[in-house]
Amino acid sequence: MLEVLNPATEEVVERLEPATEEDADAAVARARDAFPKWRAVEPSDRSRLLRRLADALDSERENLARLESQNTGKPIGDSRAEMEMVAETFHYYAGMPERLLGDTIPVSGGVDVTFREPLGVVALIVPWNFPLTIASWKMAPALAAGNTLVLKPAGLTPLTALEFERIARDAGIPEGVVNVVVGPGSQVGQRFVEHPDVAKVAFTGSTAVGRKIMEAAAGTIKRVTLELGGKSANVVFADADLEEAAGEAPIAVFGNAGQDCCARSRILVERSVFDDFLSLMQPAVENFRVGDPFDEATEMGPLISAEHRETVSSYVPDDAPVAIRGQAPEGSGFWYPPTVLAPLNNEDRAAREEIFGPVVAVIPFEDEEDAIRQANDTIYGLSGSIWTRNVARALRVARQIETGVLSVNSNTSVRVATPFGGMKQSGVGRELGPHALEYYTEIKNVYLATEED
Ligand code: TAP
C-alpha cells in the first residue's frame, strides 16, 4: 500500500493501491482507443472543451491549492499562485487548436502544404516539487494538439493529479483521453517509456532518471523531451542595486525549500562587494519565515521526505563554512533551515551538485569574463539571473551564459506564454509558450500535383 504523507506533520493523508505494469498497459490501451476520436474532434470544439476544463480548474483552485500544500508542505500562498498558473496554462492552450498553422511552400507543378499532426498517446512523467503545475505544462499543449495521454505523478505527491482526472471528466473531456496512473517510476514509468503504443515521453525529474529514459526510449525511437536538474547562477555585479539583489537572493534559492530546478543555488558576487553583499543578505536569511504551510505568512515549508533531508544535510558537514543560517521548527516534519555557505569555490561539491534544498553557495568572481566562465562551469544550463545597472553588460553576459532561460534584475524563470527549458544536461526541448506545441506534433508535408499531364 502506498502511504501518502504530509511532510509538515509526517501524518499519513491517504493510502493508495499502487498501480502495476498491467495497469500501465491498460491505461495506454484506453488512451490508444480514445486517440482517433479525440483527434477528430473539430478544432473549435476541442477549444471549447479545453476552455470548459480551464474554467473548472479556476473554480477548484482553492481546493487544489490546499491539497497541494497538504501533500508537499509548500506554503499555501505558493500553492495558490501555482494553481492560478495551472488554470492559466489551460486557458492559454485552449486557444491553440485553431492556431496549429501549417505552411504553403512554392514548388513546381503543384501545391505543397504542411500539417501539424498529433503524435498519438503521450506519456507524461512528473516529479514531486511542483506536482500539478509541471503536469499542466505538458497536459495542456498535448491535449490542444489532439493527443491523448497517460500521466504518472511522483509516488510522493499523487493527490492533485488524481483530483485533476476527476475535474477533467466532469468538464466533459471524453473517456480515455486523460489517464492518471499512480505507481513506482521503475515499473509504471519504465513501462510507459518502453511501450510500443506510446509515441512520446515528456519527463521532468532528475538528470540521472532522464538519462535512463533517453536510453530506454531508443528501443522504439520515441520522441523524448526532458526537463532535468539545474545549478543556476545568480550573478551579482558591483554596479547592481546591491540591496535589492541581496534582499531577493534568498527567495531565489529558498523558495519551495530549494526544491526547485530553477533555484539560483550558486550566487556569484564580484569580489569588491562580496562582504557588503553577505551583510545585506544576512537579515533576509535570518528573517526568512519557515513553518506551518497553512500560515499565510510562511515563506518556506519542510523538505519533501526524511530521506531527502538526509541528502540535503550531507552537503553541510560539520566543517562547512556556514556564513548565515536561518530558523526552522523542531519536532515532526522534515524541516531544514535556510543555509548560506560562503565563501565557496566553484569546484566544491556544494557548488557543483544539485542539492535541491535550502542551501546556497556564495562564490566570488574577479571580472565579467570570470563571472561568465564560472557561471558556465557546470554540466547544467537551466536558469539564472544577472544583477547590474548596465544594460549593455546585461545583454552581453546574458548571450554568453549557457542556459535556456535567464532574467535580468529579477529571479523569475517561468511564464505561460514564454518558452522554458534547459541547455546542456538540463534537458531537451521546451515547454510553455507556442514553442511547446512543436514537441507534441509532427510535421507532415503534402504535395498535390495541379498540372495536367
Ligand atoms: P526523479 O527521481 O527523477 O523522479 C521524477 C519522476 O520520474 C517520478 O514520477 C518518478 O517516479 C519517475 N521515475 C523514477 N524512475 C523512473 C524510471 N526508471 N523510468 C520512468 N520514470 C521514473 O526526480 P524527483 O526527485 O521526483 O524530482 C527532483 C528532480 O527533478 C530534480 O533533479 C529537479 O531539478 C528536477 N526538476 C526539473 C525541472 C525542470 S523543468 N527542469 C522541474 C522540476 C524538477 P516515482 O518517484 O513515483 O518512483
Side-chain angles (χ1 to χ4, degrees), residues 124-130 134 137-138 152-157 182-193 201 203-210 212-213 216 226-230 259-262 304 308 354 356 380 382 414 420-422 426-427 431:
L124 315 177
I125 302 176
V126 297
W128 44 259
N129 58 341
F130 297 98
I134 288 176
W137 299 351
K138 300 178 187 333
K152 198 206 88 60
L156 290 168
T157 56
V182 180
S186 54
Q187 291 166 33
V188 168
Q190 182 82 13
R191 183 69 192 137
F192 285 158
V193 179
V201 177
F203 169 79
T204 297
S206 60
T207 297
V209 174
K212 280 193 204 163
I213 286 181
L226 304 171
E227 299 288 356
L228 309 175
Q259 304 165 126
D260 181 347
C261 52
C262 294
I304 194 70
H308 188 51
E354 184 183 45
F356 223 54
Y380 297 111
L382 187 55
V414 178
F420 174 71
S426 283
E431 304 201 289

Short mmCIF file of all heavy atoms in Angstrom, two decimals, residues 124-130 134 137-138 152-157 182-193 201 203-210 212-213 216 226-230 259-262 304 308 354 356 380 382 414 420-422 426-427 431, ligand 1:
data_model
loop_
_atom_site.label_atom_id
_atom_site.label_comp_id
_atom_site.label_asym_id
_atom_site.label_seq_id
_atom_site.Cartn_x
_atom_site.Cartn_y
_atom_site.Cartn_z
N LEU A 124 3.41 11.18 -19.83
CA LEU A 124 3.93 12.34 -19.10
C LEU A 124 4.36 11.86 -17.71
O LEU A 124 3.55 11.29 -16.97
CB LEU A 124 2.85 13.41 -18.99
CG LEU A 124 2.07 13.69 -20.28
CD1 LEU A 124 0.98 14.73 -20.04
CD2 LEU A 124 3.00 14.15 -21.40
N ILE A 125 5.62 12.07 -17.37
CA ILE A 125 6.15 11.59 -16.09
C ILE A 125 6.68 12.80 -15.32
O ILE A 125 7.54 13.52 -15.83
CB ILE A 125 7.27 10.54 -16.32
CG1 ILE A 125 6.71 9.38 -17.15
CG2 ILE A 125 7.83 10.04 -14.99
CD1 ILE A 125 7.75 8.33 -17.54
N VAL A 126 6.14 13.03 -14.13
CA VAL A 126 6.45 14.30 -13.44
C VAL A 126 6.96 14.08 -12.01
O VAL A 126 6.71 13.03 -11.42
CB VAL A 126 5.21 15.25 -13.46
CG1 VAL A 126 4.85 15.63 -14.87
CG2 VAL A 126 4.03 14.64 -12.74
N PRO A 127 7.67 15.08 -11.47
CA PRO A 127 8.27 14.95 -10.13
C PRO A 127 7.34 15.50 -9.03
O PRO A 127 6.21 15.90 -9.30
CB PRO A 127 9.52 15.82 -10.25
CG PRO A 127 9.11 16.92 -11.17
CD PRO A 127 8.07 16.35 -12.11
N TRP A 128 7.90 15.56 -7.81
CA TRP A 128 7.08 15.92 -6.64
C TRP A 128 7.18 17.37 -6.25
O TRP A 128 6.50 17.82 -5.33
CB TRP A 128 7.47 15.05 -5.44
CG TRP A 128 8.96 14.87 -5.25
CD1 TRP A 128 9.70 13.78 -5.61
CD2 TRP A 128 9.89 15.82 -4.68
NE1 TRP A 128 11.03 13.98 -5.31
CE2 TRP A 128 11.18 15.22 -4.73
CE3 TRP A 128 9.78 17.10 -4.14
CZ2 TRP A 128 12.33 15.86 -4.26
CZ3 TRP A 128 10.92 17.74 -3.68
CH2 TRP A 128 12.18 17.12 -3.74
N ASN A 129 8.05 18.15 -6.91
CA ASN A 129 8.28 19.51 -6.36
C ASN A 129 7.22 20.52 -6.78
O ASN A 129 6.87 21.40 -5.99
CB ASN A 129 9.70 19.99 -6.69
CG ASN A 129 9.99 20.00 -8.16
OD1 ASN A 129 9.31 19.36 -8.95
ND2 ASN A 129 11.00 20.75 -8.56
N PHE A 130 6.69 20.40 -8.02
CA PHE A 130 5.56 21.24 -8.45
C PHE A 130 4.57 20.29 -9.12
O PHE A 130 4.42 20.33 -10.35
CB PHE A 130 6.03 22.32 -9.43
CG PHE A 130 7.00 23.31 -8.85
CD1 PHE A 130 8.36 23.17 -9.04
CD2 PHE A 130 6.55 24.38 -8.07
CE1 PHE A 130 9.27 24.07 -8.49
CE2 PHE A 130 7.45 25.28 -7.52
CZ PHE A 130 8.81 25.13 -7.72
N ILE A 134 3.70 21.32 -13.10
CA ILE A 134 4.53 20.75 -14.17
C ILE A 134 3.70 19.81 -15.04
O ILE A 134 3.86 19.78 -16.27
CB ILE A 134 5.77 20.07 -13.57
CG1 ILE A 134 6.72 21.15 -13.04
CG2 ILE A 134 6.48 19.17 -14.58
CD1 ILE A 134 7.97 20.64 -12.34
N TRP A 137 1.84 21.89 -17.64
CA TRP A 137 2.66 22.39 -18.75
C TRP A 137 2.74 21.35 -19.87
O TRP A 137 3.03 21.68 -21.01
CB TRP A 137 4.09 22.69 -18.30
CG TRP A 137 4.22 23.73 -17.23
CD1 TRP A 137 3.23 24.56 -16.74
CD2 TRP A 137 5.41 24.04 -16.49
NE1 TRP A 137 3.75 25.35 -15.76
CE2 TRP A 137 5.08 25.07 -15.58
CE3 TRP A 137 6.71 23.56 -16.53
CZ2 TRP A 137 6.02 25.61 -14.70
CZ3 TRP A 137 7.65 24.10 -15.66
CH2 TRP A 137 7.30 25.12 -14.76
N LYS A 138 2.56 20.10 -19.50
CA LYS A 138 2.63 19.02 -20.50
C LYS A 138 1.24 18.67 -21.02
O LYS A 138 1.02 18.49 -22.21
CB LYS A 138 3.27 17.78 -19.88
CG LYS A 138 4.68 18.02 -19.37
CD LYS A 138 5.23 16.77 -18.72
CE LYS A 138 6.56 16.93 -18.03
NZ LYS A 138 7.49 17.93 -18.46
N LYS A 152 1.93 9.98 -15.15
CA LYS A 152 2.41 9.35 -13.93
C LYS A 152 2.97 10.41 -12.99
O LYS A 152 4.06 10.94 -13.20
CB LYS A 152 3.50 8.31 -14.22
CG LYS A 152 3.66 7.37 -13.04
CD LYS A 152 5.02 6.74 -12.92
CE LYS A 152 6.01 7.54 -12.14
NZ LYS A 152 5.66 7.82 -10.74
N PRO A 153 2.20 10.72 -11.93
CA PRO A 153 2.75 11.65 -10.94
C PRO A 153 3.78 10.93 -10.07
O PRO A 153 3.85 9.70 -10.07
CB PRO A 153 1.52 12.04 -10.10
CG PRO A 153 0.57 10.90 -10.25
CD PRO A 153 0.85 10.26 -11.59
N ALA A 154 4.59 11.68 -9.31
CA ALA A 154 5.53 11.06 -8.38
C ALA A 154 4.73 10.35 -7.28
O ALA A 154 3.68 10.85 -6.85
CB ALA A 154 6.44 12.12 -7.78
N GLY A 155 5.25 9.23 -6.83
CA GLY A 155 4.56 8.46 -5.79
C GLY A 155 4.37 9.26 -4.51
O GLY A 155 3.41 9.05 -3.78
N LEU A 156 5.27 10.21 -4.26
CA LEU A 156 5.16 11.01 -3.03
C LEU A 156 4.01 12.02 -3.11
O LEU A 156 3.48 12.43 -2.09
CB LEU A 156 6.47 11.79 -2.78
CG LEU A 156 7.70 10.97 -2.39
CD1 LEU A 156 8.97 11.83 -2.48
CD2 LEU A 156 7.54 10.43 -0.97
N THR A 157 3.64 12.43 -4.32
CA THR A 157 2.66 13.53 -4.47
C THR A 157 1.62 13.27 -5.56
O THR A 157 1.54 14.01 -6.55
CB THR A 157 3.40 14.84 -4.82
OG1 THR A 157 4.18 14.59 -6.02
CG2 THR A 157 4.31 15.32 -3.71
N VAL A 182 -0.97 5.97 -10.81
CA VAL A 182 -0.06 6.19 -9.67
C VAL A 182 0.67 4.89 -9.35
O VAL A 182 0.05 3.91 -8.94
CB VAL A 182 -0.85 6.66 -8.42
CG1 VAL A 182 0.12 6.88 -7.25
CG2 VAL A 182 -1.65 7.91 -8.72
N GLY A 183 1.97 4.90 -9.59
CA GLY A 183 2.75 3.68 -9.33
C GLY A 183 4.23 4.01 -9.41
O GLY A 183 4.60 5.11 -9.82
N PRO A 184 5.08 3.07 -9.03
CA PRO A 184 6.52 3.36 -8.99
C PRO A 184 7.11 3.67 -10.37
O PRO A 184 6.77 3.03 -11.37
CB PRO A 184 7.13 2.07 -8.44
CG PRO A 184 6.01 1.16 -8.12
CD PRO A 184 4.74 1.71 -8.67
N GLY A 185 8.03 4.63 -10.37
CA GLY A 185 8.67 5.02 -11.63
C GLY A 185 9.40 3.87 -12.28
O GLY A 185 9.37 3.71 -13.50
N SER A 186 10.04 3.03 -11.46
CA SER A 186 10.84 1.94 -12.02
C SER A 186 9.96 0.87 -12.68
O SER A 186 10.46 0.06 -13.45
CB SER A 186 11.69 1.31 -10.91
OG SER A 186 10.83 0.95 -9.85
N GLN A 187 8.67 0.86 -12.38
CA GLN A 187 7.78 -0.11 -13.04
C GLN A 187 6.83 0.60 -14.01
O GLN A 187 6.94 0.45 -15.23
CB GLN A 187 6.98 -0.88 -12.00
CG GLN A 187 7.88 -1.81 -11.19
CD GLN A 187 7.17 -2.33 -9.94
OE1 GLN A 187 5.97 -2.53 -9.93
NE2 GLN A 187 7.93 -2.52 -8.89
N VAL A 188 5.91 1.41 -13.45
CA VAL A 188 4.92 2.07 -14.31
C VAL A 188 5.59 3.06 -15.29
O VAL A 188 5.32 3.04 -16.49
CB VAL A 188 3.87 2.79 -13.43
CG1 VAL A 188 3.00 3.71 -14.26
CG2 VAL A 188 3.02 1.77 -12.69
N GLY A 189 6.50 3.89 -14.74
CA GLY A 189 7.19 4.87 -15.59
C GLY A 189 7.98 4.18 -16.68
O GLY A 189 7.89 4.50 -17.86
N GLN A 190 8.75 3.19 -16.27
CA GLN A 190 9.59 2.43 -17.20
C GLN A 190 8.74 1.77 -18.29
O GLN A 190 9.09 1.77 -19.47
CB GLN A 190 10.37 1.39 -16.40
CG GLN A 190 11.33 0.53 -17.19
CD GLN A 190 12.66 1.24 -17.42
OE1 GLN A 190 12.96 2.25 -16.80
NE2 GLN A 190 13.44 0.72 -18.34
N ARG A 191 7.60 1.21 -17.88
CA ARG A 191 6.71 0.54 -18.84
C ARG A 191 6.21 1.54 -19.90
O ARG A 191 6.17 1.22 -21.08
CB ARG A 191 5.52 -0.08 -18.07
CG ARG A 191 4.57 -0.86 -18.93
CD ARG A 191 5.18 -2.15 -19.46
NE ARG A 191 4.35 -2.74 -20.49
CZ ARG A 191 4.80 -3.26 -21.63
NH1 ARG A 191 6.10 -3.29 -21.88
NH2 ARG A 191 3.97 -3.78 -22.50
N PHE A 192 5.84 2.73 -19.43
CA PHE A 192 5.39 3.75 -20.40
C PHE A 192 6.51 4.07 -21.40
O PHE A 192 6.25 4.22 -22.59
CB PHE A 192 5.01 5.05 -19.67
CG PHE A 192 3.68 4.99 -18.95
CD1 PHE A 192 3.41 5.88 -17.91
CD2 PHE A 192 2.70 4.09 -19.32
CE1 PHE A 192 2.19 5.85 -17.25
CE2 PHE A 192 1.47 4.05 -18.66
CZ PHE A 192 1.23 4.94 -17.62
N VAL A 193 7.73 4.16 -20.89
CA VAL A 193 8.84 4.55 -21.76
C VAL A 193 9.12 3.46 -22.81
O VAL A 193 9.51 3.76 -23.94
CB VAL A 193 10.12 4.84 -20.93
CG1 VAL A 193 11.28 5.22 -21.83
CG2 VAL A 193 9.86 5.95 -19.91
N VAL A 201 7.53 10.51 -24.81
CA VAL A 201 7.61 10.67 -23.36
C VAL A 201 8.06 12.09 -23.06
O VAL A 201 9.07 12.55 -23.62
CB VAL A 201 8.63 9.69 -22.72
CG1 VAL A 201 8.73 9.93 -21.22
CG2 VAL A 201 8.23 8.26 -22.99
N PHE A 203 9.23 14.13 -19.85
CA PHE A 203 9.66 13.83 -18.48
C PHE A 203 10.21 15.07 -17.80
O PHE A 203 10.96 15.84 -18.42
CB PHE A 203 10.75 12.75 -18.54
CG PHE A 203 11.47 12.52 -17.24
CD1 PHE A 203 10.90 11.76 -16.23
CD2 PHE A 203 12.74 13.06 -17.01
CE1 PHE A 203 11.57 11.53 -15.02
CE2 PHE A 203 13.41 12.84 -15.82
CZ PHE A 203 12.82 12.08 -14.81
N THR A 204 9.87 15.26 -16.55
CA THR A 204 10.56 16.24 -15.70
C THR A 204 11.03 15.50 -14.46
O THR A 204 10.24 14.78 -13.82
CB THR A 204 9.64 17.41 -15.30
OG1 THR A 204 9.25 18.11 -16.47
CG2 THR A 204 10.37 18.38 -14.37
N GLY A 205 12.29 15.68 -14.13
CA GLY A 205 12.83 15.00 -12.95
C GLY A 205 14.34 15.13 -12.94
O GLY A 205 14.91 16.05 -13.53
N SER A 206 14.98 14.17 -12.30
CA SER A 206 16.42 14.27 -12.13
C SER A 206 17.17 13.94 -13.43
O SER A 206 16.66 13.21 -14.28
CB SER A 206 16.86 13.31 -11.02
OG SER A 206 16.51 12.00 -11.38
N THR A 207 18.38 14.43 -13.53
CA THR A 207 19.20 14.15 -14.71
C THR A 207 19.51 12.66 -14.77
O THR A 207 19.54 12.07 -15.85
CB THR A 207 20.47 15.02 -14.67
OG1 THR A 207 20.05 16.40 -14.74
CG2 THR A 207 21.40 14.74 -15.84
N ALA A 208 19.68 12.02 -13.60
CA ALA A 208 20.00 10.58 -13.58
C ALA A 208 18.86 9.76 -14.20
O ALA A 208 19.11 8.91 -15.07
CB ALA A 208 20.26 10.14 -12.15
N VAL A 209 17.62 10.03 -13.80
CA VAL A 209 16.49 9.28 -14.38
C VAL A 209 16.27 9.70 -15.83
O VAL A 209 15.95 8.87 -16.68
CB VAL A 209 15.20 9.45 -13.52
CG1 VAL A 209 14.01 8.80 -14.19
CG2 VAL A 209 15.41 8.86 -12.12
N GLY A 210 16.51 10.96 -16.14
CA GLY A 210 16.39 11.44 -17.52
C GLY A 210 17.28 10.64 -18.47
O GLY A 210 16.88 10.28 -19.58
N LYS A 212 18.29 7.55 -18.05
CA LYS A 212 17.71 6.20 -18.22
C LYS A 212 16.55 6.25 -19.21
O LYS A 212 16.38 5.34 -20.03
CB LYS A 212 17.13 5.72 -16.87
CG LYS A 212 18.15 5.18 -15.91
CD LYS A 212 17.40 4.45 -14.79
CE LYS A 212 18.25 4.40 -13.55
NZ LYS A 212 17.49 4.09 -12.34
N ILE A 213 15.76 7.30 -19.13
CA ILE A 213 14.59 7.40 -20.01
C ILE A 213 15.02 7.55 -21.47
O ILE A 213 14.47 6.90 -22.37
CB ILE A 213 13.68 8.56 -19.54
CG1 ILE A 213 12.98 8.11 -18.25
CG2 ILE A 213 12.70 9.01 -20.62
CD1 ILE A 213 12.03 9.07 -17.65
N ALA A 216 16.11 4.12 -22.61
CA ALA A 216 15.01 3.16 -22.78
C ALA A 216 14.12 3.53 -23.95
O ALA A 216 13.52 2.67 -24.59
CB ALA A 216 14.20 3.07 -21.49
N LEU A 226 12.89 16.32 -22.16
CA LEU A 226 13.40 16.15 -20.80
C LEU A 226 13.60 17.52 -20.16
O LEU A 226 14.24 18.39 -20.76
CB LEU A 226 14.75 15.42 -20.84
CG LEU A 226 14.82 14.05 -21.52
CD1 LEU A 226 16.27 13.59 -21.65
CD2 LEU A 226 14.00 13.02 -20.75
N GLU A 227 13.05 17.68 -18.97
CA GLU A 227 13.33 18.88 -18.16
C GLU A 227 14.02 18.36 -16.91
O GLU A 227 13.38 17.71 -16.08
CB GLU A 227 12.03 19.60 -17.78
CG GLU A 227 11.22 20.11 -18.96
CD GLU A 227 11.84 21.30 -19.66
OE1 GLU A 227 12.87 21.80 -19.19
OE2 GLU A 227 11.29 21.70 -20.69
N LEU A 228 15.32 18.64 -16.78
CA LEU A 228 16.10 17.96 -15.74
C LEU A 228 16.63 18.93 -14.69
O LEU A 228 16.01 19.91 -14.40
CB LEU A 228 17.21 17.16 -16.43
CG LEU A 228 16.72 16.26 -17.57
CD1 LEU A 228 17.89 15.60 -18.29
CD2 LEU A 228 15.75 15.20 -17.07
N GLY A 229 17.78 18.57 -14.12
CA GLY A 229 18.29 19.34 -12.98
C GLY A 229 18.90 20.67 -13.36
O GLY A 229 18.97 21.04 -14.54
N GLY A 230 19.34 21.39 -12.34
CA GLY A 230 19.98 22.69 -12.57
C GLY A 230 20.94 23.03 -11.45
O GLY A 230 20.93 22.43 -10.38
N GLN A 259 13.71 23.22 -3.41
CA GLN A 259 13.40 22.05 -4.25
C GLN A 259 12.83 22.57 -5.58
O GLN A 259 11.68 22.36 -5.92
CB GLN A 259 12.40 21.15 -3.52
CG GLN A 259 12.91 20.71 -2.16
CD GLN A 259 11.83 20.14 -1.28
OE1 GLN A 259 11.95 19.05 -0.78
NE2 GLN A 259 10.74 20.85 -1.07
N ASP A 260 13.67 23.27 -6.28
CA ASP A 260 13.24 23.97 -7.49
C ASP A 260 14.38 23.83 -8.49
O ASP A 260 15.52 24.21 -8.20
CB ASP A 260 12.99 25.45 -7.13
CG ASP A 260 12.52 26.26 -8.32
OD1 ASP A 260 12.62 25.76 -9.46
OD2 ASP A 260 12.07 27.39 -8.11
N CYS A 261 14.06 23.29 -9.67
CA CYS A 261 15.11 23.09 -10.67
C CYS A 261 15.72 24.42 -11.08
O CYS A 261 16.84 24.47 -11.56
CB CYS A 261 14.54 22.37 -11.87
SG CYS A 261 13.08 23.16 -12.51
N CYS A 262 14.97 25.53 -10.88
CA CYS A 262 15.47 26.86 -11.27
C CYS A 262 16.14 27.58 -10.11
O CYS A 262 16.52 28.75 -10.26
CB CYS A 262 14.33 27.72 -11.79
SG CYS A 262 13.64 27.09 -13.30
N ILE A 304 10.62 17.45 1.30
CA ILE A 304 9.56 16.51 0.92
C ILE A 304 9.58 15.22 1.75
O ILE A 304 8.54 14.62 1.96
CB ILE A 304 9.64 16.18 -0.60
CG1 ILE A 304 8.37 15.48 -1.07
CG2 ILE A 304 10.89 15.37 -0.94
CD1 ILE A 304 7.15 16.34 -1.12
N HIS A 308 15.12 12.69 1.81
CA HIS A 308 15.66 13.85 1.09
C HIS A 308 16.39 14.79 2.04
O HIS A 308 17.41 15.38 1.69
CB HIS A 308 14.53 14.57 0.34
CG HIS A 308 15.03 15.64 -0.56
ND1 HIS A 308 16.03 15.43 -1.48
CD2 HIS A 308 14.72 16.97 -0.67
CE1 HIS A 308 16.30 16.55 -2.12
NE2 HIS A 308 15.53 17.50 -1.64
N GLU A 354 23.56 19.41 -7.74
CA GLU A 354 22.25 19.97 -7.42
C GLU A 354 21.83 19.45 -6.05
O GLU A 354 21.64 18.25 -5.87
CB GLU A 354 21.22 19.52 -8.49
CG GLU A 354 19.88 20.16 -8.25
CD GLU A 354 18.82 19.69 -9.23
OE1 GLU A 354 18.73 18.47 -9.49
OE2 GLU A 354 18.08 20.54 -9.73
N PHE A 356 19.10 20.62 -4.25
CA PHE A 356 17.64 20.55 -4.23
C PHE A 356 17.09 20.76 -2.81
O PHE A 356 16.15 20.09 -2.37
CB PHE A 356 17.16 19.21 -4.81
CG PHE A 356 15.99 19.36 -5.74
CD1 PHE A 356 16.04 20.22 -6.82
CD2 PHE A 356 14.81 18.65 -5.54
CE1 PHE A 356 14.98 20.36 -7.69
CE2 PHE A 356 13.73 18.78 -6.40
CZ PHE A 356 13.82 19.63 -7.48
N TYR A 380 25.12 21.69 -15.99
CA TYR A 380 23.72 22.11 -16.17
C TYR A 380 23.61 23.41 -16.95
O TYR A 380 24.60 24.12 -17.13
CB TYR A 380 23.07 22.31 -14.79
CG TYR A 380 23.00 21.03 -13.98
CD1 TYR A 380 23.77 20.87 -12.84
CD2 TYR A 380 22.16 19.99 -14.37
CE1 TYR A 380 23.70 19.71 -12.08
CE2 TYR A 380 22.09 18.82 -13.63
CZ TYR A 380 22.86 18.68 -12.49
OH TYR A 380 22.78 17.53 -11.76
N LEU A 382 20.07 25.50 -16.95
CA LEU A 382 18.62 25.71 -16.97
C LEU A 382 18.23 27.19 -16.86
O LEU A 382 17.58 27.74 -17.73
CB LEU A 382 17.95 24.89 -15.85
CG LEU A 382 16.42 24.90 -15.87
CD1 LEU A 382 15.89 24.43 -17.21
CD2 LEU A 382 15.86 24.03 -14.75
N VAL A 414 9.70 31.44 -15.16
CA VAL A 414 8.63 30.76 -15.88
C VAL A 414 7.43 31.68 -16.12
O VAL A 414 6.97 32.37 -15.20
CB VAL A 414 8.15 29.54 -15.04
CG1 VAL A 414 7.02 28.84 -15.71
CG2 VAL A 414 9.31 28.59 -14.81
N PHE A 420 10.30 27.61 -21.96
CA PHE A 420 11.06 27.24 -20.78
C PHE A 420 11.72 25.88 -20.99
O PHE A 420 11.08 24.93 -21.44
CB PHE A 420 10.11 27.16 -19.57
CG PHE A 420 10.79 26.64 -18.33
CD1 PHE A 420 11.71 27.41 -17.66
CD2 PHE A 420 10.53 25.36 -17.86
CE1 PHE A 420 12.37 26.93 -16.54
CE2 PHE A 420 11.18 24.87 -16.73
CZ PHE A 420 12.11 25.65 -16.07
N GLY A 421 13.01 25.79 -20.65
CA GLY A 421 13.70 24.50 -20.77
C GLY A 421 15.19 24.71 -20.68
O GLY A 421 15.67 25.84 -20.57
N GLY A 422 15.93 23.61 -20.74
CA GLY A 422 17.34 23.70 -20.44
C GLY A 422 18.28 23.45 -21.60
O GLY A 422 17.93 22.82 -22.60
N SER A 426 20.69 19.92 -18.64
CA SER A 426 19.41 20.30 -18.01
C SER A 426 18.22 19.90 -18.86
O SER A 426 17.07 20.08 -18.43
CB SER A 426 19.38 21.81 -17.74
OG SER A 426 20.17 22.10 -16.61
N GLY A 427 18.45 19.37 -20.05
CA GLY A 427 17.30 18.85 -20.76
C GLY A 427 17.31 19.01 -22.26
O GLY A 427 18.25 19.51 -22.85
N GLU A 431 9.12 23.80 -22.95
CA GLU A 431 7.72 23.76 -22.54
C GLU A 431 7.18 25.19 -22.56
O GLU A 431 7.95 26.15 -22.60
CB GLU A 431 7.60 23.17 -21.14
CG GLU A 431 8.23 21.80 -21.07
CD GLU A 431 7.73 20.94 -19.93
OE1 GLU A 431 8.08 21.24 -18.78
OE2 GLU A 431 7.00 19.97 -20.20
P1 TAP B 1 13.08 11.72 -10.17
O1 TAP B 1 13.53 10.84 -9.09
O2 TAP B 1 13.86 11.77 -11.42
O3 TAP B 1 11.56 11.33 -10.46
C1 TAP B 1 10.76 12.01 -11.40
C2 TAP B 1 9.64 11.09 -11.86
O4 TAP B 1 10.21 10.00 -12.61
C3 TAP B 1 8.84 10.47 -10.73
O5 TAP B 1 7.49 10.40 -11.15
C4 TAP B 1 9.45 9.08 -10.63
O6 TAP B 1 8.57 8.12 -10.10
C5 TAP B 1 9.74 8.77 -12.10
N1 TAP B 1 10.75 7.73 -12.32
C6 TAP B 1 11.72 7.31 -11.49
N2 TAP B 1 12.46 6.33 -12.09
C7 TAP B 1 11.93 6.13 -13.31
C8 TAP B 1 12.26 5.27 -14.40
N3 TAP B 1 13.28 4.41 -14.36
N4 TAP B 1 11.50 5.34 -15.52
C9 TAP B 1 10.48 6.21 -15.60
N5 TAP B 1 10.12 7.06 -14.61
C10 TAP B 1 10.85 7.03 -13.47
O7 TAP B 1 13.01 13.24 -9.71
P2 TAP B 1 12.41 13.85 -8.38
O8 TAP B 1 13.33 13.51 -7.27
O9 TAP B 1 10.97 13.50 -8.28
O10 TAP B 1 12.46 15.42 -8.71
C11 TAP B 1 13.58 16.16 -8.49
C12 TAP B 1 14.36 16.41 -9.77
O11 TAP B 1 13.53 16.97 -10.77
C13 TAP B 1 15.48 17.41 -9.59
O12 TAP B 1 16.66 16.95 -10.20
C14 TAP B 1 14.99 18.66 -10.32
O13 TAP B 1 15.97 19.51 -10.80
C15 TAP B 1 14.17 18.07 -11.40
N6 TAP B 1 13.20 19.04 -11.87
C16 TAP B 1 13.42 19.62 -13.08
C17 TAP B 1 12.53 20.57 -13.54
C18 TAP B 1 12.78 21.22 -14.86
S1 TAP B 1 11.55 21.96 -15.52
N7 TAP B 1 13.93 21.15 -15.46
C19 TAP B 1 11.41 20.91 -12.81
C20 TAP B 1 11.22 20.29 -11.59
C21 TAP B 1 12.12 19.34 -11.14
P3 TAP B 1 8.41 7.81 -8.52
O14 TAP B 1 9.07 8.93 -7.80
O15 TAP B 1 6.96 7.75 -8.30
O16 TAP B 1 9.04 6.48 -8.31
#
